[in-house]
Amino acid sequence: MGQTQCYKILSKHLVSGTLKQGESISIRIDQTLTQDATGTMAYLEFESLGLDRVRNELAVSYVDHNTVQVGFENADDHEYLRTVADRKGVIYSRAGNGICHQVHLERFALPGKTLLGSDSHTPTAGGMGSFAAGAGGLDVALAMAGIPFSLICPRVVEIRLHGSLKPFVSAKDVILHVLEHFGVKGNVNTVFEYTGDGVKTLSVPERATIANMGAECGVTTSLFPADENTRAFLRSQGREDGFVELRADDDAIYDDLFEIDLSQLEPLAACPHSPGNIKKVSELEGMAVNQVLIGSCTNSSYTDLKKAAAILKGHTVSPSVSLGVAPGSREVLMMITEDGTLETLIKAGARILESACGFCIGNHQSPGTESVSLRTSNRNFYARSGTASASLYLVSPETAAASAIMGVFTDPRACDADLSEIKMPEKCLVDDSMFIHPSYSLEIKRGPNIGQPPKNTALPETVKGHAVIKVGDKITTDHIMPAGARLKYRSNIPRYAEFVFESVDPAFAERAASLRDKGECGFIIAGASYGQGSSREHAAICPMYLGIRAVVAVSIERIHQANLCNFGILPLLFDNEDDYRKVEQGDELELLSPLSSLESGKFILHDATKNLDIPLSLFASEEQKAMLRVGGRLNEVIHADQN
Ligand code: MIC
Ligand code: SF4
């Protein structure tokens, strides 16, 4: 029987377990990436392992999230990251060099490699044919130490592409169509593998757009074959020697099939407040638009910006719209500068933003009250932009540009621009001077905002307390741990913990801390797909700091589940979904015999307020059970030479 591309890469990297769907396996990680917002914790954790240098093939530390630098905190973080990278053998990508996923795709990603990144959009490199997954900072720190990464052997879904896209319909519309079909929940431990004759019509950056937003479906990663387009992209980057051809065998068996005729697609938009809430742009036409932002790791490549500029050429942005453009990398910025595209954008009235995450993470460019913002990014979660009352729509660069001119939602197919000649160039403007290679000599600098990651205590014999909060379905990590203006406290857990659930229930942190101080164990009660979105382990560390010992949910997303286990918080699932309705915020709760329940994986939650016994199942592997027992992975004796 033939193999899928996914299993081909996994089998080459398998360290333990068998490649059977649903089995716990561990794989060798070739490359790692971190970004500054998750990176400080990851390197503090790496330091706590006591190794003198990283042991994986390639480790890169990017600075792209916190670059606004209001106050000293971000700059101090950058300095810590620069010096710790130098000391530990990590390549440091300076602020200004671009967004981690775009830069990694250009300069480092290779077909057949495994990549683990402390960012949920690490699968962007799946556009290159890498098996690239997002994880919490601690898992990435361990991968840098050469310790294999554990995951559930995924089911592999074939997404077969036919035909080619019509003009003004773009890769973004392909992934929005995939999101419409698969939704944002229920795809845990799944890999999307793209096949079919339509694949060859897509360039590597277009494939990367599609792989990037697979993260919104909650899949482990997405994969494209490595073919002649991949070779051409690598050649344009001066890296053709890293090319290997890679694709699934013709007789590979998949767990599911979804077919897309690219020629039938039309411009789509993800409507507030979920990337899975898809409508046709034609249905939204005429809606007034106040802000348009082009950029982010999803759509900030050279061709994305060229297409937007071709549509904007000769026009001025509508007086009611603020248009911002953030090139994905310094390379893209240099290329659009050289060929005049930047001038076209400026002439049209675009505000040129830094090559960084910026608006996407709500770090700046918060829209006005109740305004409509069109963005080419990947997440429109509630309050993520910094303006809770704003409505965010995720669209292609083509739709964004057309709407910026008209001031209303506009189907780009109405434009008269000619995009047919816009292709990836044969040679890109490569300049690696913003990477700093390690000299192993610098002293590590730590500003006053940088503290040690706190540890949990071992699982106690009595787990008793209250339901400190009850939340609904699809609670994202942005709900749990806001970014934007709070992002600068990422390296300071006591301060950052003050903002847990800020947009949902601003009194949560104080309530949880006061129950913790009375010696209680806190419970979070949640609906389906809890913890979707980001890889930020702070969404586990900060609740842990506030005394949370268990999350009891209908379902929990993959990266967040791993982060909970890493920090000693029990991820528990209702055996009967209906019981979710019965427990209320404020109920007095106890987990009966927690230590023996940990062994069996079967728990009983006693709700003393309702006088109910509720059966729960632990959602954890044997390895995770061991860390839950001792109160998290940092309490385990970790042997860095176990690979
Ligand atoms: C995001 O897009 O939500 C982020 C910010 O890049 C996060 C990482 C973080 O929270 O620092 C992610 O996607 O993992
Ligand atoms: Fe940065 Fe946004 Fe991409 Fe996250 S999704 S890495 S914040 S650009």
Short mmCIF file of all heavy atoms in Angstrom, two decimals, residues 64-65 99-101 119 121 212 296-297 357 360-361 378 384, ligand 2:
data_model
loop_
_atom_site.label_atom_id
_atom_site.label_comp_id
_atom_site.label_asym_id
_atom_site.label_seq_id
_atom_site.Cartn_x
_atom_site.Cartn_y
_atom_site.Cartn_z
N ASP A 64 9.21 39.65 15.61
CA ASP A 64 8.21 40.17 14.65
C ASP A 64 6.89 40.56 15.30
O ASP A 64 6.11 41.29 14.71
CB ASP A 64 7.94 39.11 13.57
CG ASP A 64 7.51 37.76 14.15
OD1 ASP A 64 7.47 37.62 15.38
OD2 ASP A 64 7.20 36.84 13.37
N HIS A 65 6.62 40.10 16.51
CA HIS A 65 5.31 40.35 17.11
C HIS A 65 5.26 41.68 17.86
O HIS A 65 4.41 42.53 17.60
CB HIS A 65 4.93 39.22 18.07
CG HIS A 65 4.36 38.02 17.37
ND1 HIS A 65 5.05 37.30 16.44
CD2 HIS A 65 3.15 37.40 17.49
CE1 HIS A 65 4.29 36.30 16.00
NE2 HIS A 65 3.13 36.34 16.63
N ILE A 99 8.16 38.83 9.16
CA ILE A 99 7.32 37.91 9.95
C ILE A 99 7.89 36.49 9.85
O ILE A 99 8.20 36.01 8.76
CB ILE A 99 5.87 37.93 9.44
CG1 ILE A 99 5.31 39.37 9.45
CG2 ILE A 99 4.98 37.01 10.26
CD1 ILE A 99 3.94 39.52 8.81
N CYS A 100 7.99 35.85 10.99
CA CYS A 100 8.68 34.56 11.08
C CYS A 100 8.30 33.59 9.96
O CYS A 100 9.18 33.01 9.31
CB CYS A 100 8.47 33.92 12.45
SG CYS A 100 6.75 33.71 12.97
N HIS A 101 7.02 33.42 9.71
CA HIS A 101 6.61 32.37 8.75
C HIS A 101 7.00 32.72 7.31
O HIS A 101 7.40 31.86 6.54
CB HIS A 101 5.11 32.10 8.86
CG HIS A 101 4.70 31.84 10.27
ND1 HIS A 101 5.26 30.82 11.01
CD2 HIS A 101 3.84 32.47 11.11
CE1 HIS A 101 4.75 30.83 12.23
NE2 HIS A 101 3.89 31.82 12.31
N ASP A 119 4.50 28.96 17.50
CA ASP A 119 3.49 29.81 16.89
C ASP A 119 2.57 28.91 16.07
O ASP A 119 3.04 28.03 15.34
CB ASP A 119 4.15 30.86 15.98
CG ASP A 119 3.13 31.91 15.58
OD1 ASP A 119 2.30 31.63 14.70
OD2 ASP A 119 3.14 32.99 16.18
N HIS A 121 0.92 29.28 13.47
CA HIS A 121 0.95 29.32 12.01
C HIS A 121 2.23 28.76 11.40
O HIS A 121 2.51 28.95 10.20
CB HIS A 121 0.67 30.74 11.50
CG HIS A 121 -0.76 31.11 11.76
ND1 HIS A 121 -1.14 31.95 12.77
CD2 HIS A 121 -1.91 30.66 11.19
CE1 HIS A 121 -2.46 32.04 12.79
NE2 HIS A 121 -2.95 31.26 11.84
N ASN A 212 -1.04 27.97 5.80
CA ASN A 212 -1.07 28.86 6.97
C ASN A 212 -2.42 28.80 7.67
O ASN A 212 -2.52 28.60 8.89
CB ASN A 212 -0.77 30.28 6.48
CG ASN A 212 -0.93 31.36 7.53
OD1 ASN A 212 -2.05 31.72 7.88
ND2 ASN A 212 0.17 31.88 8.04
N SER A 296 0.29 40.44 7.11
CA SER A 296 0.25 39.28 8.01
C SER A 296 0.92 38.07 7.36
O SER A 296 1.15 38.06 6.15
CB SER A 296 -1.15 38.89 8.45
OG SER A 296 -1.70 37.92 7.57
N CYS A 297 1.17 37.04 8.16
CA CYS A 297 1.87 35.87 7.62
C CYS A 297 1.04 35.11 6.59
O CYS A 297 1.55 34.23 5.91
CB CYS A 297 2.31 34.94 8.75
SG CYS A 297 0.95 34.33 9.76
N CYS A 357 4.08 41.58 12.53
CA CYS A 357 2.70 41.12 12.76
C CYS A 357 1.75 42.30 12.98
O CYS A 357 0.62 42.30 12.50
CB CYS A 357 2.65 40.23 13.99
SG CYS A 357 3.65 38.75 13.82
N CYS A 360 -2.20 42.49 12.94
CA CYS A 360 -2.84 41.17 13.02
C CYS A 360 -3.04 40.73 14.46
O CYS A 360 -4.01 40.04 14.78
CB CYS A 360 -1.98 40.17 12.26
SG CYS A 360 -2.55 38.50 12.41
N ILE A 361 -2.14 41.14 15.32
CA ILE A 361 -2.22 40.73 16.71
C ILE A 361 -2.76 41.87 17.59
O ILE A 361 -2.71 41.82 18.82
CB ILE A 361 -0.82 40.19 17.17
CG1 ILE A 361 -0.82 39.60 18.57
CG2 ILE A 361 0.27 41.21 17.01
CD1 ILE A 361 -1.77 38.46 18.71
N ASN A 378 -5.43 36.12 9.22
CA ASN A 378 -6.07 34.81 9.37
C ASN A 378 -7.03 34.70 10.54
O ASN A 378 -7.70 33.69 10.71
CB ASN A 378 -4.99 33.73 9.48
CG ASN A 378 -3.90 34.15 10.46
OD1 ASN A 378 -4.18 34.77 11.46
ND2 ASN A 378 -2.66 33.81 10.14
N ARG A 384 -9.76 40.77 19.17
CA ARG A 384 -8.34 40.60 18.83
C ARG A 384 -7.72 41.88 18.28
O ARG A 384 -6.54 42.16 18.49
CB ARG A 384 -8.18 39.44 17.84
CG ARG A 384 -6.74 39.15 17.43
CD ARG A 384 -6.72 37.91 16.55
NE ARG A 384 -5.50 37.76 15.80
CZ ARG A 384 -4.50 36.93 16.10
NH1 ARG A 384 -4.59 36.18 17.17
NH2 ARG A 384 -3.43 36.84 15.35
FE1 SF4 B 2 1.96 37.23 13.36
FE2 SF4 B 2 -0.59 37.38 12.81
FE3 SF4 B 2 0.88 35.53 11.70
FE4 SF4 B 2 0.30 35.36 14.31
S1 SF4 B 2 -1.13 35.24 12.61
S2 SF4 B 2 2.31 35.03 13.32
S3 SF4 B 2 0.31 37.54 14.84
S4 SF4 B 2 1.08 37.73 11.38
#
